[in-house]
Amino acid sequence: MKINITAVFFLLLGLCCGINAQAQNLHKVSGTVLDTTNTSIPNAIVRLIAGKDTLNSSTDTAGRFVFINLKSSTVSLLVRSIGYLPYNKAYALTTISQVLPSVILKAESNQLNEVVIKGKIVPMRLMKDTVEFNAQAFDVREGDRVEDLLKQLPGMELDKEGNATSEGKALTKIRVNGKDFFTGNVKEFIAKLPANIVSKLQVIDDYGEKANFTGIKSGEPQKILNVVLKPDMNRGRFAKGALSAGTNDRYAVNLGNNFWKESSQLGINADASNTNNGTGINNNINLGADYRKTLNKALVLSGNYNYTYNKSELSQQNYTETANKTSTIFNNSTNESLSKNNNHNFGANLQSTGKDNFLQADIRGTLANSISNALNSSTQSEALTGTQTRTNRQDLLTRSNANQRSPNLNANLMLGRHFKKEGRSLTAGGTFSNSINNNNDDLFNSIGYYDPVSDLKVKDSLLNTIVLTRNRTRGGTANFTYTEPLGNPKDTVAKKNIDFSYVFSLTHTGNDLETNLNNDIGAISRIDSLSNKYTSTFSTHTIGLNYRYVTDKLNYSLGVTGQPNLLTGSYEGREDKIHRSGFNFSPLARVFYKLSPNQMITFNYNGNSVAPDFNQLQPVRDTRNLQNVIIGNPELNAAFNHTASISFRNVNTTNGQTLQVALIGGVVQDRVVSNSIRIVDTLNTFKQETRYLNTDGNYNLGANYNFSFPLGSKKYNLDFKGGLSYNRQVSFTEGEKNFGKGLNLNQGLAFRMNQKWLRMSSNVNYTYRSNVYSISTLPQNTIQTWMFNLDARTFILRSLTAGVAAAKTINQGYSLSASNPLIVNGYIEKTFFKNRMASLKIEGNDLLNEGNSLNNTISGNVTTETRSNQITRYFLFSLNVRLDSFGG
């Protein structure tokens, strides 16, 4: 028996030693693939032969690759990428975790003549956070820009201003070959970059640089555009000059030059115009410069400066309906204003993203100055409900001269480190912000009171005040996140991590409100009851614990956060203090599940605290609008938002069909809401007072979808999109709680055609918005809008193009006179010289002169309609010159 036990013991010991020896001989190999300019090459194919095993992988956006659990001590590496010569080399592994020297791929210069390779081009593919489009699968004409290519992509939309959205979300940033590009302005550079240098377009759900380094993704991502260029096209110059003149004194001048040589970028631009046909009559000047330089392999320095000037002449008509329990107050007003704004913006950024270390430091500043003069005339009336039918009326005429100065500064620092143990990392950082808003208002108010029976004016009241407002907000955050891997870090099937995070946030606000009376002889005296000096501090500690599980098909993060918060405040000359503490507990969840290579589901949940602002807190009467005096409430608590969303995405990589469906919901605890109170004065007329308080019962639910599919070999495309949402907003009228129940429905259908001689897009959109109050005596509100759009461009000759754009709007339910405009624009353009570098263009805007601006908003028990003046009909003659040179 002893012999048998001994034999078994030695057998197990030998087996364990063998397993241990085998485990100790496992190797990890990593490396980076670069071109001859030290620029990383994404999506390169990497094959590694280790003994009898052959492994395949591809490089990420930074050109990195990694192989683990290798048994052989010698390996052979083969790297290939389109447009580069293949790389093949054998290595001896001398360490357990070995980093190979950078693989340098040389551009392939020899091309085969008269050889045509026919194969099926896959138009798109779906990756975890990325939808990639192959530019070869779409029609690119000579002279096309990236924006022309984007218009052909399923689920992509460009509005008339050039703003791009994908599946209903705006593209917020542009990158080229995975690296930041100049200022990252999507609208600016998709109109400048030629489409014929593009290999692929990637729409990425981006969670930020910190998430890219740590792998911890939280919150809602931004959509960014990454443009992957053809080989050797990551250098060049693109310049543009344009001069336009037209009727109604319209003009535009645009000059820009961008130099780009692999790791260096320099751009300058200048433009001036008054062709912006939004609200008002606008004159704009813009000057800017930006610089970006890769200092070494991983360190990038960038900076920019921008100056803008805007002069706006605005004529606006407003209709406001305030629903109270005992009456409804109607206010019709007109506002004539002239404003001039000067803004200086600057920024600098230093960033390093290496394999083991991360650094990001930036500083941003703005100096804004504005001067405005306005004349506001309003007529306010009140219809009493119930058995009373009397109508009260008063007029208000306000002249104001305002001067505002608003400098602000923001700084950010973030550091990160990956440790030797795979999966272990630490990030830490902080932010600082300082903003100042100084505003001087010289207000002259004249109120006319009317007899409710005869409707004759019985009294005038004149008041001239000078209101000085000085606000300063300083804030900062400190944060760190630590990640510890669980289980075996060499496990290639699943990665498990636990994350601990802590964030401290502090915001300090100082508000100085001084109201002075300017009497008939020009003597100025302070009104103490309408003046106040107030300071407040809001601080939060957010402590989080999170578990992450990552596989190829399933990723999820589950955790909890605790968020104690404290709001303190004090008022000059008053003994009462604000001291409000609270604690919010919230689970966190993010789940990603890949149903198939083309289908995925994503779920997100998070929560955050929101402090009331100083206007809602200060217990002093704000009389800048005498018909609606605002009084803050120092007893307010911080609100807490809960937000959850679930989305499903399906992409058919064969025919280009895409489907995106999302459900979104939110609940707000202790939301700050308004309480409208009717105040009767000594003349038995009325005014409104708005006060604030906390309440629960606010929530919203919504769903939206976007379905796009091409027809006829992608020459045609149909897009269906729509959404339905329900929201409940709590407000108070005369102290009684009132629920405003809003229902919003939108539905759209778009059709696009891309033929050799014609490009056309058309769409129809329907919007329905209704709001019903729980107090039965309050009025209901329903708005319906139909919009029909057509945009077509025909290629008459190789160098002659004509286009037309038409839009018809049908409005129903507005109280203001709502016209139903038909806007028709057209142009004809002739190009000259090689590569169509110059063009002459004649265009007509709003040929029928029917443009108008009409808008409707609902907040609590207040419904507001606004219409503004526009100059929409003019003719413009333009000369444009482009100088492009890429590669070489």
Side-chain angles (χ1 to χ4, degrees), residues 497-533:
N497 297 83
I498 189 166
D499 310 316
F500 175 78
S501 63
Y502 171 75
V503 180
F504 171 72
S505 175
L506 177 70
T507 302
H508 179 79
T509 301
N511 178 44
D512 187 359
L513 173 65
E514 180 180 337
T515 305
N516 298 285
L517 177 65
N518 189 0
N519 63 19
D520 296 338
I521 61 174
I524 297 175
S525 58
R526 176 185 169 99
I527 307 175
D528 290 334
S529 62
L530 301 180
S531 303
N532 180 59
K533 183 175 287 187

Side-chain angles (χ1 to χ4, degrees), residues 356-606:
D356 296 322
N357 299 296
F358 172 74
L359 163 68
Q360 185 175 38
D362 62 67
I363 184 169
R364 295 281 183 267
T366 302
L367 177 60
N369 297 285
S370 67
I371 299 174
S372 64
N373 303 295
L375 176 64
N376 182 275
S377 175
S378 66
T379 298
Q380 181 165 287
S381 60
E382 179 188 40
L384 302 179
T385 58
T387 59
Q388 304 180 71
T389 57
R390 185 180 64 178
T391 299
N392 294 322
R393 175 190 168 193
Q394 61 179 237
D395 296 341
L396 173 63
L397 178 68
T398 301
R399 289 199 305 267
S400 66
N401 300 306
N403 191 329
Q404 186 176 35
R405 185 173 181 273
S406 305
N408 68 76
L409 185 68
N410 298 276
N412 172 67
L413 175 65
M414 181 67 65
L415 300 170
R417 171 72 177 174
H418 284 310
F419 295 98
K420 250 183 185 181
K421 185 177 181 180
E422 186 176 345
R424 179 182 291 170
S425 67
L426 174 67
T427 59
T431 65
F432 170 78
S433 64
N434 182 45
S435 63
I436 299 172
N437 185 10
N438 293 332
N439 191 27
N440 296 346
D441 283 333
D442 188 352
L443 303 171
F444 175 83
N445 294 285
S446 174
I447 301 180
Y449 298 91
Y450 291 78
D451 184 271
V453 178
S454 65
D455 201 33
L456 297 175
K457 184 182 288 188
V458 296
K459 183 180 179 180
D460 282 332
S461 175
L462 304 178
L463 180 64
N464 185 195
T465 57
I466 300 175
V467 181
L468 307 177
T469 307
R470 292 180 282 274
N471 302 320
R472 180 169 185 171
T473 302
R474 287 172 288 183
T477 65
N479 64 84
F480 79 89
T481 302
Y482 175 75
T483 297
E484 178 66 23
L486 301 177
N488 182 4
K490 297 183 182 297
D491 188 354
T492 59
V493 177
K495 300 291 184 183
K496 305 171 187 177
N497 297 83
I498 189 166
D499 310 316
F500 175 78
S501 63
Y502 171 75
V503 180
F504 171 72
S505 175
L506 177 70
T507 302
H508 179 79
T509 301
N511 178 44
D512 187 359
L513 173 65
E514 180 180 337
T515 305
N516 298 285
L517 177 65
N518 189 0
N519 63 19
D520 296 338
I521 61 174
I524 297 175
S525 58
R526 176 185 169 99
I527 307 175
D528 290 334
S529 62
L530 301 180
S531 303
N532 180 59
K533 183 175 287 187
Y534 160 75
T535 60
S536 70
T537 301
F538 181 67
S539 61
T540 61
H541 302 263
T542 304
I543 305 168
L545 187 64
N546 188 56
Y547 171 77
R548 283 186 294 127
Y549 178 86
V550 179
T551 66
D552 288 338
K553 298 188 70 172
L554 175 65
N555 298 352
Y556 64 83
S557 301
L558 301 175
V560 294
T561 62
Q563 192 177 81
N565 59 76
L566 177 64
L567 176 65
T568 61
S570 62
Y571 308 89
E572 188 178 74
R574 295 175 51 139
E575 294 184 359
D576 54 322
K577 308 289 184 182
I578 294 176
H579 191 279
R580 301 279 178 274
S581 61
F583 180 85
N584 293 293
F585 174 83
S586 172
L588 293 176
R590 181 181 185 273
V591 180
F592 167 87
Y593 183 63
K594 196 170 186 179
L595 299 170
S596 71
N598 301 327
Q599 296 179 334
M600 59 181 61
I601 293 178
T602 304
F603 171 80
N604 275 295
Y605 168 82
N606 59 76

Side-chain angles (χ1 to χ4, degrees), residues 111-130:
Q111 297 182 354
L112 298 176
N113 295 324
E114 299 181 359
V115 174
V116 178
I117 301 176
K118 293 184 178 181
K120 189 173 182 180
I121 298 175
V122 179
M124 58 192 300
R125 63 175 180 146
L126 180 65
M127 294 172 278
K128 187 175 296 183
D129 295 317
T130 303

Side-chain angles (χ1 to χ4, degrees), residues 7 115 152 321 331 372 538 653 712 774 798 858:
V115 174
Q152 304 178 53
E321 186 176 299
N331 187 290
S372 64
F538 181 67
T653 58
S774 60
R798 184 175 179 272
I858 297 174

Side-chain angles (χ1 to χ4, degrees), residues 233-434:
M233 286 294 175
N234 61 337
R235 67 188 75 180
R237 183 187 72 175
F238 45 103
K240 179 183 178 181
L243 179 64
S244 305
T247 60
N248 282 327
D249 299 321
R250 302 299 94 186
Y251 72 90
V253 179
N254 180 275
L255 297 171
N257 203 352
N258 297 272
F259 300 91
W260 172 32
K261 187 177 181 181
E262 295 143 1
S263 60
S264 300
Q265 300 170 12
L266 175 64
I268 53 177
N269 65 83
D271 60 76
S273 71
N274 64 354
T275 58
N276 179 357
N277 59 357
T279 57
I281 302 172
N282 300 282
N283 287 269
N284 302 286
I285 297 175
N286 181 75
L287 302 171
D290 51 85
Y291 172 77
R292 183 178 298 275
K293 174 70 174 179
T294 301
L295 302 180
N296 56 37
K297 183 179 179 181
L299 189 63
V300 179
L301 173 67
S302 63
N304 65 82
Y305 167 79
N306 185 260
Y307 167 76
T308 57
Y309 168 82
N310 173 261
K311 176 184 176 183
S312 177
E313 300 173 63
L314 181 65
S315 178
Q316 197 169 72
Q317 182 181 3
N318 297 284
Y319 170 80
T320 302
E321 186 176 299
T322 304
N324 297 306
K325 182 180 179 182
T326 58
S327 67
T328 301
I329 299 174
F330 307 93
N331 187 290
N332 280 286
S333 65
T334 59
N335 181 60
E336 304 285 339
S337 66
L338 172 64
S339 62
K340 299 177 181 179
N341 302 281
N342 291 274
N343 295 291
H344 301 266
N345 298 277
F346 69 89
N349 178 275
L350 185 65
Q351 182 173 309
S352 175
T353 306
K355 178 185 175 183
D356 296 322
N357 299 296
F358 172 74
L359 163 68
Q360 185 175 38
D362 62 67
I363 184 169
R364 295 281 183 267
T366 302
L367 177 60
N369 297 285
S370 67
I371 299 174
S372 64
N373 303 295
L375 176 64
N376 182 275
S377 175
S378 66
T379 298
Q380 181 165 287
S381 60
E382 179 188 40
L384 302 179
T385 58
T387 59
Q388 304 180 71
T389 57
R390 185 180 64 178
T391 299
N392 294 322
R393 175 190 168 193
Q394 61 179 237
D395 296 341
L396 173 63
L397 178 68
T398 301
R399 289 199 305 267
S400 66
N401 300 306
N403 191 329
Q404 186 176 35
R405 185 173 181 273
S406 305
N408 68 76
L409 185 68
N410 298 276
N412 172 67
L413 175 65
M414 181 67 65
L415 300 170
R417 171 72 177 174
H418 284 310
F419 295 98
K420 250 183 185 181
K421 185 177 181 180
E422 186 176 345
R424 179 182 291 170
S425 67
L426 174 67
T427 59
T431 65
F432 170 78
S433 64
N434 182 45

Side-chain angles (χ1 to χ4, degrees), residues 669-809:
Q669 294 176 278
D670 270 347
R671 181 175 180 177
V672 178
V673 300
S674 62
N675 182 20
S676 298
I677 303 172
R678 179 178 175 272
I679 305 296
V680 179
D681 60 19
T682 56
L683 293 176
N684 202 30
T685 61
F686 64 95
K687 294 178 182 178
Q688 290 185 89
E689 276 189 1
T690 298
R691 298 175 180 266
Y692 299 99
L693 67 162
N694 291 107
T695 187
D696 292 328
N698 297 275
Y699 65 85
N700 63 83
L701 296 170
N704 60 73
Y705 78 96
N706 190 299
F707 179 48
S708 175
F709 62 95
L711 301 169
S713 301
K714 293 175 283 300
K715 295 295 183 181
Y716 307 94
N717 199 89
L718 277 176
D719 288 317
F720 295 89
K721 64 176 182 178
L724 176 66
S725 66
Y726 174 82
N727 64 81
R728 188 172 77 162
Q729 295 187 42
V730 179
S731 62
F732 284 79
T733 171
E734 304 292 343
E736 182 175 346
K737 182 178 284 190
N738 175 41
F739 296 97
K741 303 170 185 177
L743 179 66
N744 299 316
L745 169 69
N746 63 83
Q747 178 60 57
L749 170 64
F751 172 75
R752 287 179 288 177
M753 181 173 66
N754 186 20
Q755 294 288 343
K756 183 177 182 181
W757 59 277
L758 176 67
R759 284 181 177 172
M760 184 191 73
S761 64
S762 61
N763 62 75
V764 55
N765 293 279
Y766 171 74
T767 303
Y768 174 90
R769 291 182 293 167
S770 72
N771 191 67
V772 178
Y773 295 111
S774 60
I775 299 178
S776 60
T777 57
L778 302 185
Q780 316 306 320
N781 182 279
T782 300
I783 297 292
Q784 297 183 73
T785 303
W786 286 90
M787 296 187 68
F788 303 87
N789 294 278
L790 172 68
D791 192 345
R793 179 169 47 160
T794 181
F795 305 92
I796 303 171
L797 300 172
R798 184 175 179 272
S799 61
L800 184 64
T801 307
V804 63
K808 175 65 177 178
T809 304

